[in-house]
Amino acid sequence: MGQSSGYNSTSVLQLITIVSCLVVLSCSGSVSAYKNYTVGGSLGWFDALEKPDVNYQKWADSKNFSLGDFLIFNTDNNHSVIQTYNFTTYKFCDYDDALQNDTIEWSATDPSSTAPHPISVAVPLLKEGMNYFFSSDYDGEQCNNGQHFKINVTHGQGLPKSLDPSDDAPAPNSPDYRGDDSAPETIVPANFNHPIEEESDKDEASGSGSVYFNTKFYGFLIFLQIVCIFFKL
């Protein structure tokens, strides 16, 4: 009887190990959902003359961006949102000579406005590789005063159907990683979806699902370990 009990407990332990490995492997291979990133967090999208604490590059360096994610720029109509794939345009904070297929003005400014009003600009990430953002207002003054950053966009899950130009069109081309001056063709769907409401860049929001799963999973493992102890006894 003692030998039979030992055999059973050993078998249960082996089963727990196999199941645990399979579950962990399946979870580690899962792909995270598309996310919305609020640029600058609570500081919004402003230059250092207005918000001295802004450091958009530091903010961007702490994130992982993929195709299909959205950048949310909370700003006002005295600050613009320019996206470019051309490093030279970004470097000089000036898009006057930019090509139509490498630079997008997502939000125009109104420097003459004496009563600025808040605006929120949603920008989808449609191309892999280097993406550059800046405000070109006041002849690049805002850009030169900290209102700029660059990010590297990875493939991730790829573009969702709502952001594909068409079902027949190929996915956007990736810029050449070896040259910052590359300017791939820019394809912006006319009817792209706005950001999904349920995802954000907040740690508590993005991690809530995984925390819930981990709690349940480890609770299950503890239960199985108790069963093993019982068998040993």
Side-chain angles (χ1 to χ4, degrees):
M1 295 297 292
Q3 291 180 351
S4 177
S5 176
Y7 174 79
N8 289 337
S9 62
T10 302
S11 299
V12 173
L13 284 172
Q14 291 175 342
L15 178 61
I16 292 174
T17 302
I18 294 172
V19 171
S20 301
C21 291
L22 290 175
V23 173
V24 170
L25 287 174
S26 63
C27 293
S28 63
S30 61
V31 182
S32 59
Y34 298 108
K35 295 180 180 179
N36 301 334
Y37 293 95
T38 301
V39 176
S42 59
L43 292 175
W45 177 240
F46 297 94
D47 59 273
L49 297 177
E50 189 165 345
K51 297 286 183 71
D53 295 332
V54 298
N55 187 331
Y56 295 109
Q57 194 57 59
K58 182 178 179 180
W59 170 85
D61 289 343
S62 67
K63 312 294 182 184
N64 295 313
F65 304 96
S66 302
L67 290 176
D69 290 344
F70 273 81
L71 300 186
I72 312 298
F73 293 81
N74 292 326
T75 185
D76 62 32
N77 59 318
N78 274 344
H79 298 76
S80 64
V81 178
I82 309 297
Q83 179 185 18
T84 184
Y85 306 102
N86 191 315
F87 177 74
T88 301
T89 298
Y90 172 74
K91 180 180 179 180
F92 290 105
C93 298
D94 183 3
Y95 73 106
D96 288 342
D97 296 327
L99 301 176
Q100 185 177 4
N101 67 348
D102 69 15
T103 302
I104 307 170
E105 182 181 31
W106 289 99
S107 174
T109 59
D110 184 12
S112 63
S113 175
T114 57
H117 60 268
I119 61 173
S120 184
V121 183
V123 177
L125 299 181
L126 303 175
K127 292 186 180 296
E128 295 178 56
M130 297 307 298
N131 285 238
Y132 306 95
F133 296 89
F134 65 95
S135 174
S136 65
D137 206 0
Y138 301 100
D139 295 325
E141 179 181 338
Q142 292 177 341
C143 175
N144 288 320
N145 280 283
Q147 200 169 1
H148 61 84
F149 66 94
K150 59 184 178 180
I151 62 174
N152 182 41
V153 179
T154 61
H155 184 78
Q157 301 179 85
L159 286 174
K161 291 183 178 180
S162 59
L163 290 176
D164 278 333
S166 69
D167 292 338
D168 297 328
N173 295 324
S174 299
D176 181 3
Y177 285 88
R178 294 169 296 178
D180 280 332
D181 291 322
S182 60
E185 182 181 1
T186 301
I187 304 174
V188 182
N191 60 340
F192 70 85
N193 283 1
H194 288 286
I196 52 178
E197 298 294 335
E198 63 270 23
E199 293 292 339
S200 69
D201 59 336
K202 294 181 180 179
D203 292 337
E204 61 270 23
S206 62
S208 60
S210 60
V211 170
Y212 174 79
F213 173 80
N214 287 336
T215 301
K216 289 287 189 181
F217 175 65
Y218 288 117
F220 177 68
L221 287 183
I222 292 173
F223 170 76
L224 289 181
Q225 289 172 353
I226 293 173
V227 172
C228 288
I229 294 173
F230 176 81
F231 274 103
K232 286 183 178 180
L233 295 176

